Amino acid sequence: PCPVVATIHDLYPYEYPENFGRFQAFFNRRLLQQCIEQSDGLTCVSQTTLARFNFFFPLLPASKKLTAIYNIIDFDEVKPQPPDLFARSPNSPFLLNVAQHRKNKNLDLLIDAYANLLTTHQIDPDIDLVIVGSQGPETTNLTRQIHTLNLANKVHLLAAIDDRQLCWLYQHCLAFIIPSAIEGFCLPLAEAIHLSCKVVCTDLPIFREIGSSTCNYFDLHTEPLQNLAAAIVQVIAQPPPDLDRQPSQFSKHLIADRYLQFYADIKLIDNRSRDRG
C-alpha cells in the first residue's frame, strides 16, 4: 500500500554485459526492467547515469518520478588507522586503487602499466601498488597476471578492510588511480577527491562530472597503457593538492534533504492517485 522508490546505480547490463556474461546479462536486464516497471519513483546516482537511463528507457511514463541524487561521502567520524600491510612501515610509498575485481574496472591495465613503470625505471622501485576491493569474476586472472609478472611482493590485493583503514590509505597514497572503462558513479573517486588525493582517472563523462578539474585524465581508446603510465608519472611529480577542494555536493546533509524532498513528492503523487481512485 505504500510507494516504492528504487535507486539506479548503473546500467551495466546494457552498457557493459561483459561484467556478467551473455546469459547472465539477459537476466540482469530483465530484473532491471521489472524493478523500473514496479517502482513509483527512481533516483539515479549521477547526471551521467540519468542521461544513460533516459537513453535506454525513453518511454518511461510521465507519472513515474525520476531524478538524480548523488551518493554521500562521510568520513567525519572516521579515525584513520593503517591496515596490517603498513602497520610496521607506515611511510612506505604506494599507489592506490579501490575497485571490485570486474572487467570494467580495467585492473589488468593498471597492473600492466605499473609493471611497465617499474621495468623502465620511471618510478621508484620501492613504490607498491595496493588494490582494495572484493573478489569478482576477474580475481583469478588478476592473481595469475601478478604472478606471471613476478609482482607478488609489489601488488597487494586487499579486501574486507574497514573505513578507518580505507581512510588511511586515501590519505597516505602517492596517487589514486582509477582506469575504469565505464562507471555509474564511482564512490571511490569521490572519496579520494574528498580526502585530497592526487588522482589519475580515465577520461569519462562521469569522472568529469565528479572530478571536474581536480583530476588528471588519460585517454583509454588510443595507446591506453602508455597513456596511463605517463599520467601516473606526471601525477607523482605534482605537488600535494589543495586541501580545501572537498566536494560539498556529496555531503550527507544535502543528500538527505534531497531524498526527503523526493520521498515527499512521491507520497504527494501517491495520495493524489488514491483520491482520483
Side-chain angles (χ1 to χ4, degrees):
C2 63
V4 173
V5 173
T7 300
I8 307 298
H9 286 255
D10 56 66
L11 283 304
Y12 289 167
Y14 289 88
E15 294 187 298
Y16 214 86
E18 297 93 328
N19 268 358
F20 310 98
R22 180 177 299 179
F23 183 74
Q24 293 91 337
F26 170 81
F27 284 99
N28 272 272
R29 289 185 182 186
R30 186 67 195 99
L31 288 171
L32 178 57
Q33 292 166 5
Q34 186 178 31
C35 169
I36 293 169
E37 291 167 1
Q38 297 184 6
S39 297
D40 300 283
L42 298 158
T43 65
C44 296
V45 294
S46 67
Q47 293 294 337
T48 301
T49 300
L50 176 60
R52 299 304 294 162
F53 180 91
N54 286 326
F55 174 80
F56 287 109
F57 300 96
L59 302 179
L60 195 70
S63 61
K64 199 180 296 286
K65 191 169 176 60
L66 175 67
T67 191
I69 302 178
Y70 288 132
N71 289 321
I72 70 166
I73 307 298
D74 183 19
F75 284 97
D76 292 345
E77 306 298 326
V78 176
K79 184 178 181 180
Q81 175 182 310
D84 292 342
L85 177 64
F86 294 97
R88 295 184 178 180
S89 54
N91 295 320
S92 298
F94 65 95
L95 303 171
L96 177 65
N97 170 276
V98 179
Q100 189 182 15
H101 304 168
R102 288 189 173 276
K103 191 70 174 177
N104 67 297
K105 304 297 183 179
N106 280 337
L107 297 179
D108 56 338
L109 172 64
L110 174 58
I111 293 170
D112 278 340
Y114 171 72
N116 177 268
L117 291 173
L118 286 178
T119 56
T120 57
H121 308 291
Q122 295 185 67
I123 61 172
D124 191 311
D126 290 333
I127 296 175
D128 286 357
L129 173 61
V130 177
I131 299 174
V132 178
S134 56
Q135 293 188 357
E138 293 298 305
T139 301
T140 300
N141 293 334
L142 295 174
T143 302
R144 184 185 302 114
Q145 179 186 15
I146 291 169
H147 285 282
T148 299
L149 294 171
N150 295 317
L151 294 174
N153 294 324
K154 300 293 293 176
V155 178
H156 310 280
L157 303 179
L158 302 184
I161 67 173
D162 59 31
D163 284 348
R164 297 172 301 167
Q165 297 168 327
L166 181 60
C167 183
W168 189 93
L169 289 170
Y170 281 131
Q171 291 179 340
H172 290 80
C173 67
L174 290 176
F176 177 79
I177 319 296
I178 188 79
S180 299
I182 189 170
E183 293 281 354
F185 177 76
C186 195
L187 185 63
L189 175 59
E191 291 175 337
I193 295 171
H194 179 79
L195 292 171
S196 300
C197 296
K198 295 189 286 186
V199 175
V200 171
C201 60
T202 322
D203 195 355
L204 299 178
I206 182 57
F207 289 168
R208 291 280 183 178
E209 180 180 340
I210 295 174
S212 186
S213 61
T214 61
C215 300
N216 296 266
Y217 300 95
F218 76 96
D219 183 9
L220 187 64
H221 301 293
T222 58
E223 300 185 343
L225 179 64
Q226 293 83 351
N227 292 339
L228 176 55
I232 292 173
V233 172
Q234 181 180 3
V235 78
I236 290 176
Q238 291 177 354
D242 183 0
L243 295 179
D244 295 326
R245 63 173 188 172
Q246 299 174 352
S248 59
Q249 68 267 32
F250 306 134
S251 74
K252 61 181 178 181
H253 300 293
L254 176 62
I255 300 305
D257 286 343
R258 293 204 60 193
Y259 265 111
L260 285 172
Q261 184 59 57
F262 187 75
Y263 295 152
D265 292 343
I266 293 291
K267 185 63 176 177
L268 180 62
I269 293 172
D270 182 62
N271 289 338
R272 289 174 178 172
S273 298
R274 291 186 181 183
D275 291 341
R276 287 195 297 270

